[in-house]
Amino acid sequence: MEIVLSGIRPTGNLHLGNYYGAVTSFVKLQEAYKCFFFIADWHSLTTHPTPENIQNSARTILSEYLACGLDPEKSTIYVQSDVPEVIELYLYLNMNAYLGELERVTSFKEKARKQPDNVNAGLLTYPTLMAADILIHRSHKVPVGKDQEQNMEMARKFARRFNMMYNTDLFPEPQNFSLAGQGGIKIPGLDGSGKMGKSEGNCIYLCDEPSVIRKKVMKAVTDAGPQAMNSEKPEVIQNLFTLLDVVSTKDTYDYFNEKWNDCTLRYGDLKKQLAEDIIKATDPIRERIKEYAGNTDLLQSIAKAGAEKARESAAATLKEVRKTIGFKVY
Ligand code: TYM
């Protein structure tokens, strides 16, 4: 059976980008595949969070995963740092990962520019750790948003390289996989930037109260309005339509699209509708987040059971890897 795996860094709450770019796919895929979904807390160390920060954030994402519909009976849900086998594979992969190719990764270059005082080796080898996450379960399909394309290319490269070096077919080449369309989707920010993201500070979170969502949407950047019939939408306006396409009905989308095309669109009306549709789409999740977040015992037992299942699968791969590399297996 094909293996599906994906993860999210616990550096805050889940936002609409995480949800529509990744988690909605997780929820559907768990019905048909053997799935592993984890919380990438090692990855979050690149920005040096405090111990309290790490602990709280992992708990937060776990309750949000569950609130979105991830089911521990169907999927293996675990915290990355509970599975030490991943680090051993990370070490092996790092031995065949080269400075030049790691330095060329766009997200490394961006991070290095943003945090010039903290260009650490973990940041450089982020793609190797991500590859280890994926390859440790010999995953075939990885549901991620469009922004992860380059990391996925690296994971495939490391899998191929290992297989070639040792003349084995141990690792399948993991494929990006999105139910939202070829190559995944990108949820835009409301500040006119291309992408909704935690570090961009432009997110609508699943746990945001309706009043907060309304305020954020009403503040979305727009322009002077449509100037010519049937004209192409500038990026800031296209962003609003992309969100509308995701959360609203087709009729609503078509209604506002027509208004754009005949130059009668009032952005205030569109934003009001968009805010209400986001609230409607996230309402049940918001309620469930509160329920799960308060149930520490349940969260702990789910994380513990998930870690056991994940370690079993990881240990089986690692045994093969060690044998392949030439280490004695007792
Ligand atoms: P992270 O935590 O930045 O994001 C988690 C998931 O959410 C998707 N996503 C988006 N999708 C569409 N539009 C957006 N605006 C948007 N913002 C975020 C991301 O594509 C991702 O699928 N490196 C990963 C975490 C990771 C991982 C892995 C993923 C670590 N190891 C192994 C898959 C497999 C990351 O930082 O995602």
Side-chain angles (χ1 to χ4, degrees), residues 1-271:
M1 187 188 232
E2 285 200 308
I3 309 285
V4 168
L5 167 135
S6 197
I8 292 186
R9 263 174 313 136
T11 47
N13 296 89
L14 290 186
H15 54 75
L16 292 186
N18 299 138
Y19 183 61
Y20 289 107
V23 183
T24 49
S25 295
F26 300 177
V27 173
K28 288 187 189 137
L29 292 169
Q30 68 181 346
E31 303 299 331
Y33 294 93
K34 181 166 180 187
C35 290
F36 294 89
F37 299 118
F38 72 99
I39 295 163
D41 55 352
W42 276 326
H43 276 102
S44 69
L45 289 179
T46 56
T47 52
H48 299 169
T50 64
E52 295 76 35
N53 228 318
I54 293 177
Q55 204 182 23
N56 292 337
S57 312
R59 226 180 266 149
T60 302
I61 300 290
L62 182 54
S63 40
E64 294 187 337
Y65 266 173
L66 298 169
C68 289
L70 284 195
D71 181 348
E73 300 289 321
K74 294 177 183 158
S75 308
T76 300
I77 305 170
Y78 64 98
V79 179
Q80 185 186 35
S81 61
D82 282 339
V83 185
E85 286 78 6
V86 173
I87 317 187
E88 190 174 330
L89 183 57
Y90 170 56
L91 180 134
Y92 299 143
L93 296 176
N94 267 334
M95 298 299 166
N96 305 314
Y98 295 96
L99 185 61
E101 62 189 349
L102 293 169
E103 277 179 333
R104 277 196 298 276
V105 173
T106 315
S107 51
F108 171 73
K109 287 194 280 194
E110 262 171 30
K111 287 264 166 64
R113 193 161 23 88
K114 276 192 195 156
Q115 49 182 73
D117 299 334
N118 180 21
V119 187
N120 59 63
L123 205 55
L124 183 71
T125 57
Y126 188 108
T128 350
L129 182 54
M130 182 156 158
D133 292 326
I134 297 169
L135 301 181
I136 198 73
H137 300 298
R138 287 174 265 184
S139 315
H140 300 91
K141 290 182 159 58
V142 184
V144 280
K146 229 181 177 55
D147 58 319
Q148 298 296 315
E149 254 167 30
Q150 205 177 11
N151 284 333
M152 288 302 303
E153 258 170 48
M154 297 295 279
R156 280 191 285 277
K157 194 191 264 187
F158 294 140
R160 267 197 309 271
R161 195 172 284 166
F162 185 96
N163 287 350
M164 290 244 301
M165 263 182 91
Y166 295 105
N167 195 20
T168 167
D169 56 3
L170 183 62
F171 294 125
E173 276 187 37
Q175 302 303 319
N176 313 27
F177 190 68
S178 171
L179 295 175
Q182 276 288 313
I185 56 166
K186 185 170 79 175
I187 299 294
L190 291 172
D191 54 352
S193 72
K195 182 191 147 189
M196 185 176 287
K198 279 166 271 199
S199 46
E200 267 71 36
N202 61 4
C203 298
I204 294 182
Y205 295 100
L206 294 177
C207 64
D208 277 345
E209 290 299 333
S211 58
V212 176
I213 295 178
R214 284 192 193 102
K215 218 182 270 169
K216 287 183 177 174
V217 175
M218 293 316 282
K219 276 206 321 219
V221 177
T222 49
D223 61 6
Q227 305 294 318
M229 304 279 273
N230 301 313
S231 57
E232 200 178 308
K233 300 180 187 84
E235 192 183 359
V236 284
I237 306 306
Q238 182 53 50
N239 286 352
L240 292 178
F241 275 89
T242 302
L243 279 169
L244 207 60
D245 192 27
V246 170
V247 296
S248 305
T249 62
K250 185 173 179 307
D251 283 352
T252 304
Y253 181 93
D254 290 347
Y255 171 81
F256 286 108
N257 201 32
E258 244 168 64
K259 293 221 158 260
W260 166 268
N261 282 334
D262 63 19
C263 294
T264 56
L265 178 61
R266 291 201 327 223
Y267 292 139
D269 296 343
L270 186 156
K271 287 179 178 178

